[in-house]
Structures are given as structure tokens and as C-alpha cells.
Amino acid sequence: MRKVLVRLGELVAVLLIVSFGVFLMVALIPGDPAVAILGDGKPPEQYDALRQELGLNDPVIQRYLDWLAGAVRGDLGSSIMPPQTPVAERLLAALPVSLQLAAMGLAIALVISIPLALWSAARQGGLVDRVIGASMFGLLSIPSFLAGLLLIMFVVNDQGWFPRSQWVRISDSLAGNLHHAILPAIVIALSEIALFTRILRNDLVVTLQEDFVLAARAKGQPPWRIMVGDALRPSSFSLVTLFGISTGRLIGSTVIVEYLFALPGMGSLVVSGAQTGNFPVVQGAVLVTALIYVVVNSCVDLSYGILDPRTRRVHA
């Protein structure tokens, strides 16, 4: 419980730092939001009235505290560019897309990388290990935008198996949603497969030299039971840590994939907000992304005690 309370305090501190940093950077960006909203050539009193309405004449600290008070209540402000809808509504519409892509990409990566890592570690130094290692380095060398373009060229344009654009929500059609989401999720998963496989394989090789594994071998346990039952769980620390980091990172870094496949996710929302000067949307999106990132990584840190009870005494 003490550790949970400490993590909650750290979560609040990180969110305050991130939100203030983003708010300050947005406030220092050159340009006048009033001119961006009304356009050029309007009477000066119209600009002054709009600045007063938006609170742009207040000090930065006061504007941040007002925004923070609203954010605590779930009010992230309104979009300053048409359509002038609440930021929270736009985020709630875009967030499920990015969350689904990140979740599907990570799920695909785990399903493929764990068996590959187990197989590679069991054949350490052999042909299988070398082939898997070379393949993973090859995947790491392919940028996500290039992988997406290649898949679009060969799978979408040539074969027509998957659609490139449009998005079907799960509430409308589960089959249609998966049909549209599977290809972007594969693009996201490619680099994660390489990272997860290499990290887990290296940790498994180290764990297989531990005394408890040697004792299990001396007892005559089958190799597959040793790998899955004895070595996998204590070798998963780095994988779980990387999984938590990737979860938060992918939610905010699917911009390229969402652009290639014309998906209405968080990445597209942030890019369009930055291009049009719609800064309340950018601030809200960064805050939500930071919240998810910190929560996921705090849960990952707390999960170490489940993976290996010995760490509870270390942290205590």
C-alpha cells in the first residue's frame, strides 16, 4: 500500500510537470490565436474582445491554473477552430482508435515474439538462433512508414485484401473494424516483435544459467517445461518494462500509421491541431497521453512483485 501511494504521488507530479511544460510551450509559440480564429482585416476591438473572452490577456500562470482547474473536473476547454466542440469530446472520439491500434499491435507482437524468443534461447548459438536474430535485426532496420507503404503497395493496391482508408467502429461492425485495423496493427507490431524477441531471448539465456534451472534439469524435467514453467516468468522483467514503455509510446506515436491509413486517431488529431493552431486540442491530447503512459508504467512497476516475489523485499 505504501508503494501504491508513492506511485500515485509520482503520477500526480509527472502530470503537473508535463501539463505545465506543454502549456508553457504553447503560450510561447509565435502568433495570435485571435487572428487565427477571426482572420485578418477585422477591427482591433474584435480581436481585443476575443482575447479577453479566451483569457489571453491574463498571465501565463493564471491561465494555466484556470485550465488545470477545469482539467481536474474533466473540462479540457473547447476547440478554438471550427467546429468549436469541447476538447474532451474530440479526444473521446479519437482515443479509442489509437488505443485499439496500440493494443492490437502489442498483442500481435507478444504472440509472435514470446515463442520466437523461447525457440531461439533453447537453440542458443545454433542455426535457428542465428536466423531469428538476423531476422529481428532486419525488422528493426525497416522504418514504420516504409513498412506501411510496402504493405499498402502489395497487400492493398495489388491484392485488394484490406482497405487503406475509412474506419469502422466496433459498435458498428466488429468484423468491419478488424478488417480495417489489422493491417495498421501489423505495421505497428513489426518493430515491437524485433525488440521483444531480442530482449526476452537475452534474458532467457541468462536465466537458463541460474541454479534453480540447473536443479530442474538435474531432476529430469522436460526442456519445454523448464523453458515455460521455470525460466519464462523470471526472464520477463525487461519484457514487461518494455511493454509498458511501448504502450504509452505507441498511443502518441502512431501518427505515421494513422496518416498512411487515414485513421481518425490521437496522432492525426494532434497533427491537425498543431497545423491549424488549435492548441487546446494539443494540450488535452498530450495530457491524456501522459496520463495513460504514467498509469501503465506504474502498473508495470507494481507487477514486478507478482513476477518475482523476491523483489518485494528489495523494494521494501
Side-chain angles (χ1 to χ4, degrees):
M1 180 59 66
R2 181 178 62 183
K3 187 176 180 181
V4 171
L5 293 176
V6 170
R7 288 302 175 195
L8 287 175
E10 293 175 353
L11 185 151
V12 173
V14 169
L15 291 179
L16 288 175
I17 294 172
V18 170
S19 62
F20 180 72
V22 173
F23 194 93
L24 185 62
M25 286 189 292
V26 169
L28 296 176
I29 292 177
D32 189 347
V35 176
I37 296 172
L38 297 178
D40 296 322
K42 297 295 188 299
E45 54 270 16
Q46 289 190 18
Y47 296 122
D48 292 336
L50 183 58
R51 294 189 193 101
Q52 186 67 31
E53 179 184 350
L54 297 177
L56 299 177
N57 296 327
D58 298 333
V60 174
I61 296 297
Q62 182 62 45
R63 287 156 53 192
Y64 170 72
L65 293 177
D66 293 339
W67 176 82
L68 183 63
V72 172
R73 300 191 303 268
D75 180 11
L76 297 175
S78 298
S79 170
I80 62 176
M81 304 300 292
Q84 294 177 334
T85 55
V87 173
E89 289 185 8
R90 302 190 66 175
L91 293 178
L92 287 175
L95 183 59
V97 179
S98 296
L99 285 176
Q100 181 182 349
L101 291 178
M104 289 181 63
L106 290 172
I108 293 171
L110 288 176
V111 168
I112 296 176
S113 61
I114 292 177
L116 285 178
L118 290 169
W119 193 15
S120 181
R123 301 291 189 271
Q124 180 186 357
L127 178 61
V128 171
D129 187 26
R130 292 196 297 270
V131 170
I132 292 177
S135 301
M136 295 306 104
F137 281 121
L139 282 180
L140 284 175
S141 66
I142 302 176
S144 58
F145 74 90
L146 180 58
L149 288 174
L150 291 174
L151 286 176
I152 289 173
M153 290 172 56
F154 294 107
V155 179
V156 178
N157 294 342
D158 291 347
Q159 304 297 329
W161 293 340
F162 298 98
R164 177 183 174 182
S165 60
Q166 300 179 351
W167 179 257
V168 177
R169 299 192 177 275
I170 296 179
S171 57
D172 297 330
S173 172
L174 177 60
N177 173 268
L178 295 178
H179 191 215
H180 285 76
I182 187 64
L183 200 59
I186 291 174
V187 175
I188 292 173
L190 291 177
S191 60
E192 305 303 320
I193 290 172
L195 288 173
F196 290 173
T197 302
R198 295 302 302 170
I199 289 292
L200 182 57
R201 180 263 178 199
N202 292 337
D203 287 348
L204 281 168
V205 169
V206 174
T207 303
L208 290 174
Q209 308 303 318
E210 295 286 344
D211 292 339
F212 68 91
V213 175
L214 298 178
R217 286 175 175 169
K219 293 178 181 178
Q221 291 189 14
W224 66 268
R225 180 174 294 179
I226 294 175
M227 293 294 297
V228 177
D230 296 324
L232 180 58
R233 192 172 73 170
S235 301
S236 300
F237 280 86
S238 299
L239 178 63
V240 171
T241 302
L242 187 60
F243 178 85
I245 295 173
S246 297
T247 301
R249 175 175 54 82
L250 288 177
I251 292 172
S253 63
T254 57
V255 179
I256 296 176
V257 176
E258 291 177 4
Y259 177 79
L260 287 175
F261 293 91
L263 303 179
M266 290 282 287
S268 300
L269 188 64
V270 171
V271 171
S272 64
Q275 290 176 340
T276 59
N278 200 353
F279 301 127
V281 172
V282 177
Q283 292 169 187
V286 172
L287 179 65
V288 171
T289 303
L291 175 63
I292 296 173
Y293 187 90
V294 175
V295 169
V296 170
N297 281 275
S298 297
C299 293
V300 166
D301 188 54
L302 294 172
S303 70
Y304 291 154
I306 299 175
L307 292 173
D308 191 346
R310 293 175 297 180
T311 61
R312 301 173 189 171
R313 295 192 297 270
V314 174
H315 287 294

